[in-house]
Amino acid sequence: MTDSPGTADPAAGRPRVVVDDATIGYDKRTISERLSMEIPDGSFTAIIGPNGCGKSTLLRALARVLAPSSGTVLLDGKAIGAYKSKEVARRLGLLPQSSLAPDGIRVADLVARGRAPYQNLIHQWRPSDEDAVAAALAATRLTELSGWLVDELSGGQRQRVWVAMLLAQDTPIMLLDEPTTFLDIAHQYELMELFRDFHDQGKTIVCVLHDLNQAARYADHLIVMRDGRIVTTGTPRDVITAELVESVFGLRALVAPDPVTGTPSVTPLDPRTATVHPVEPRDPDTDHEPSPPRRQEKESTR
Amino acid sequence: MSAGRVAFGYRTRTLRSRWVSGRVGLRSVVVSTALFLTALGLGAVALTHGDYPLTLQQVFAALTGAEQGFERTVVLKWRLPIVIAAVVFGALLGIGGAIFQSLTRNPLGSPDVIGFDAGSYTAVVVTILVIGKGGYWWVAFAAIAGGLTTAFVVYVLSYRRGIQGFRLIIVGIAVSAMLVSVNSYLITRAEIEDAMTVGFWAAGSLARVTWTPLVPALAIAAVLIVSAALLAPALRRLEMGDDAAVTLGTRPGPVRLGLIVTGVATAAVVTAAAGPIVFIALAAPQLARRLTRSAGVGIPAAAGMGATMLAGAHLLSLLIAQAYRPVPVGLITLCLGGGYLIWLLIRETHQRYGLTR
């Protein structure tokens, strides 16, 4: 297992989020056995892997939605289950895969629910709450829509409302569970840009993603999982190779630098032509002839 | 205050001082207050009706102590506890309905539909017919124990990796149906007088409420109202799903258990004192929500609506008694609620199966 950068001294400089020998699963079904990993502080970490590999399960354990049956998830050096629930909620927030908006709720009301960890019986709406909600609405460009019913919004706008709620929670660590699923491509990138802004503002982002190109483009640290285990970790450039894509996802693909960002980009090979005319690249680091025309074809069909 | 004001899309009032801060929707506050005032008004009118008609002035004189004699006895000793029971029990039923409809995220998920009333009923039937105890404390204890036991059974039967609202409702309806058959069987085997005792109780009537059972019921009601108010913010977070609730610092397990116990207890306390009074828990939260136009099912407005409905049903039963003969208030809510349930079922079916809206 590759070690992440910046963790040379395990005692003093341990990251804020550490999984120590944890077995995670549902009821009797174990997903990950004796898993250990850590999230580098201040990183934009993407967890990738095929369906059912345990990436969302791991994220849910990090968010203490799921308690490990053995081992621990540590937050700032202490078992996450040993904190008061609100205390955790001020340090780490989760954007779940699916949340339910109550019937007839309006945008600002839903975003304001992100302030729950700061509220108590007698203080339900302090000036700081209102400021945080206003800032979250502005950052997600929802200020104009704040009085709308959530039901009236488009899918992309609705997802932004949930992101705004997480932002209003004002946590230094944000866990995002497949945030771009079900969105069209423009809204996917809009959302990823938003997360990059949050990262630039100093937040640690942990994001479960399906799209390898998005992961490579936005994350600075990747965790690759398969069958409940961590296959490898590291920077996108080091991790994303044709060999890895084939061994982890069972997909033969061409990995070439993205012409826009230079980060690795994955283009699946055509299984038919690949069998007839094997064009599998031998060396993933070099540019290949077939790639530019392919990409042009893609763009022209848009 | 710097950053900026948030536009919520409806009129809100913000309260801020050093000690407390809060924000309320103006419409919700106005509607809830109006509903409680209506309930009190209906209750006051109900004080004038009965076998011995009084004017509002006479009632007022009796209440303030200006009038001492027989009228004071009628108002204070006989009619007042019934009217208080109507308002408070109505509010409790509304609260219980709001809690369970939020927990199940379904307008059908109220305690009377998911079998808790039936559980109380069965326990009371068993206590009166099998054990042979018909005193107030026995009945009250049986009603509460029966409601909680049924809630536990329904909860366990519908538990599969957590509780899902619709499954809870279906299991509750099934358990309820089974309990009704047990009740019917026990009554067929009973002595005629015992069967009549059960029958009177089962009709759901406020007419026999006196101060003796009312005082402890009010004490429990106060505890339940406080507990519902304390758990209300967590309930609103549970509505968004367990994951969202956890990430906002709520512990779903204990909170849900507390809400279930509170919700079941509201129904059980009312059932213990007055017999099963159905459909108020079902209808009040939804009607209130349509008036407040708020998000989700609000507890204060549901309580106000429940109080208005039961006070109204009580007044109606007095008016019917004057014109015709006494009809227990439980039968009135049953008749009116039945119509509401039919409408609700048709609407739910249309929404769930995508038929015409």
Side-chain angles (χ1 to χ4, degrees):
Chain A
M1 210 174 287
T2 31
D3 215 350
S4 45
T7 54
D9 184 3
R14 282 200 98 178
R16 301 190 69 175
V17 178
V18 175
V19 175
D20 186 16
D21 201 24
T23 299
I24 316 162
Y26 301 93
D27 287 341
K28 285 153 211 156
R29 202 158 57 92
T30 298
I31 306 283
S32 287
E33 206 159 358
R34 310 198 59 174
L35 188 86
S36 292
M37 53 88 73
E38 47 196 43
I39 304 292
D41 289 346
S43 67
F44 192 134
T45 296
I47 307 178
I48 56 174
N51 284 333
C53 71
K55 43 190 198 303
S56 286
T57 311
L58 171 62
L59 199 75
R60 285 161 61 88
L62 296 182
R64 55 103 170 63
V65 171
L66 213 60
S69 55
S70 74
T72 42
V73 175
L74 297 161
L75 174 65
D76 294 329
K78 188 170 132 186
I80 199 164
Y83 284 91
K84 281 190 172 174
S85 197
K86 275 192 180 179
E87 182 59 43
V88 178
R90 285 179 216 141
R91 300 184 193 197
L92 156 164
L94 168 73
L95 181 71
Q97 234 172 66
S98 60
S99 299
L100 301 154
D103 274 347
I105 196 165
R106 289 172 191 277
V107 171
D109 267 326
L110 194 55
V111 175
R113 292 189 178 194
R115 297 302 295 170
Y118 304 91
Q119 293 164 343
N120 55 37
L121 222 60
I122 53 169
H123 279 297
Q124 300 274 347
W125 192 241
R126 277 185 272 224
S128 54
D129 295 322
E130 184 145 10
D131 291 348
V133 171
L137 287 168
T140 50
R141 293 184 292 106
L142 288 168
T143 308
E144 298 297 308
L145 300 175
S146 69
W148 284 44
L149 291 169
V150 174
D151 299 332
E152 296 171 342
L153 303 179
S154 72
Q157 291 168 330
R158 211 171 300 165
Q159 186 68 338
R160 286 217 307 273
V161 174
W162 291 109
V163 172
M165 185 175 119
L166 176 63
L167 194 57
Q169 199 180 332
D170 196 19
T171 56
I173 303 164
M174 279 186 173
L175 310 175
L176 313 164
D177 198 354
E178 295 186 22
T180 56
T181 315
F182 306 123
L183 298 181
D184 63 44
I185 185 160
H187 284 110
Q188 289 188 16
Y189 279 91
E190 174 186 53
L191 217 52
M192 293 307 296
E193 288 295 331
L194 208 51
F195 298 143
R196 181 151 76 180
D197 291 345
F198 301 163
H199 179 238
D200 289 345
Q201 289 152 20
K203 289 183 190 294
T204 303
I205 308 280
V206 185
C207 187
V208 169
L209 280 177
H210 269 304
D211 189 318
L212 299 182
N213 296 344
Q214 283 176 9
R217 186 170 191 155
Y218 289 97
D220 54 20
H221 182 74
L222 294 185
I223 295 173
V224 186
M225 291 186 72
R226 189 195 160 104
D227 299 330
R229 285 175 296 106
I230 290 174
V231 177
T232 182
T233 63
T235 64
R237 268 173 216 280
D238 292 341
V239 165
I240 303 249
T241 61
E243 287 79 8
L244 178 109
V245 174
E246 178 153 12
S247 70
V248 171
F249 291 90
L251 178 76
R252 302 220 292 157
L254 171 76
V255 175
D258 183 312
V260 176
T261 57
T263 51
S265 95
V266 176
T267 312
L269 296 179
D270 185 334
R272 290 184 218 169
T273 54
T275 51
V276 181
H277 303 289
V279 287
E280 189 191 352
R282 290 271 164 256
D283 183 359
D285 286 332
T286 54
D287 243 324
H288 283 268
E289 305 249 306
S291 52
R294 264 168 195 266
R295 206 168 284 118
Q296 275 170 8
E297 262 168 45
K298 254 190 182 172
E299 274 169 4
S300 63
T301 54
R302 278 182 66 185
Chain B
M1 271 164 265
S2 52
R5 310 263 303 129
V6 177
F8 282 91
Y10 55 92
R11 289 163 79 184
T12 63
R13 285 286 175 275
T14 304
L15 165 78
R16 279 203 189 115
S17 74
R18 209 164 125 208
W19 304 109
V20 287
S21 63
R23 178 177 59 85
V24 288
L26 201 58
R27 190 183 175 94
S28 293
V29 173
V30 169
V31 167
S32 306
T33 313
L35 284 170
F36 273 109
L37 291 177
T38 309
L40 292 178
L42 290 169
V45 175
L47 285 176
T48 65
H49 285 73
D51 292 340
Y52 186 79
L54 296 166
T55 63
L56 270 175
Q57 285 86 344
Q58 286 172 304
V59 167
F60 188 72
L63 284 177
T64 54
E67 163 67 52
Q68 281 297 332
F70 180 61
E71 286 163 14
R72 187 172 162 82
T73 310
V74 169
V75 171
L76 242 59
K77 200 163 171 224
W78 297 344
R79 291 183 188 171
L80 191 60
I82 296 176
V83 165
I84 291 176
V87 173
V88 174
F89 290 176
L92 281 183
L93 292 171
I95 291 171
I99 288 176
F100 272 96
Q101 287 174 358
S102 280
L103 279 179
T104 58
R105 296 189 199 98
N106 192 311
L108 279 172
S110 76
D112 39 0
V113 175
I114 48 187
F116 305 155
D117 283 24
S120 296
Y121 186 177
T122 303
V124 170
V125 171
V126 168
T127 309
I128 295 177
L129 298 186
V130 180
I131 306 175
K133 305 281 187 187
Y136 170 75
W137 290 110
W138 280 94
V139 170
F141 178 76
I144 291 173
L148 284 172
T149 309
T150 312
F152 178 74
V153 169
V154 170
Y155 189 89
V156 167
L157 287 179
S158 51
Y159 191 93
R160 195 160 297 150
R161 269 207 225 158
I163 282 292
Q164 193 238 335
F166 199 64
R167 194 162 53 222
L168 188 81
I169 294 169
I170 297 297
V171 170
I173 291 174
V175 168
S176 177
M178 285 156 63
L179 290 171
V180 169
S181 72
V182 172
N183 298 347
S184 305
Y185 171 76
L186 287 172
I187 289 171
T188 60
R189 311 287 300 168
E191 300 289 335
I192 188 77
E193 277 154 33
D194 291 344
M196 280 175 70
T197 312
V198 171
F200 279 126
W201 180 84
S205 170
L206 295 169
R208 280 161 295 124
V209 173
T210 61
W211 284 111
T212 318
L214 185 62
V215 170
L218 289 180
I220 300 174
V223 173
L224 293 178
I225 288 168
V226 169
S227 132
L230 293 180
L231 289 169
L235 175 61
R236 285 199 295 271
R237 293 194 283 277
L238 279 184
E239 274 181 355
M240 298 188 286
D242 281 11
D243 287 10
V246 170
T247 193
L248 291 174
T250 308
R251 282 150 33 92
V255 166
R256 189 176 283 117
L257 184 68
L259 284 163
I260 288 178
V261 170
T262 307
V264 171
T266 57
V269 166
V270 175
T271 309
I277 295 176
V278 291
F279 286 121
I280 286 183
L282 179 74
Q286 297 299 320
L287 297 177
R289 195 169 95 73
R290 274 163 188 73
L291 287 182
T292 58
R293 297 189 201 145
S294 63
V297 185
I299 288 181
M305 180 58 88
T308 296
M309 287 172 74
L310 192 52
H314 171 57
L315 182 60
L316 194 58
S317 84
L318 293 176
L319 293 174
I320 295 173
Q322 273 178 359
Y324 178 55
R325 61 177 58 166
V327 176
V329 73
L331 295 186
I332 291 174
T333 65
L334 185 64
C335 285
L336 298 179
Y340 170 77
L341 183 63
I342 290 170
W343 174 78
L344 187 65
L345 282 171
I346 292 172
R347 205 186 58 119
E348 279 289 290
T349 321
H350 282 201
Q351 283 185 355
R352 194 165 284 273
Y353 300 108
L355 305 175
T356 51
R357 281 179 186 246

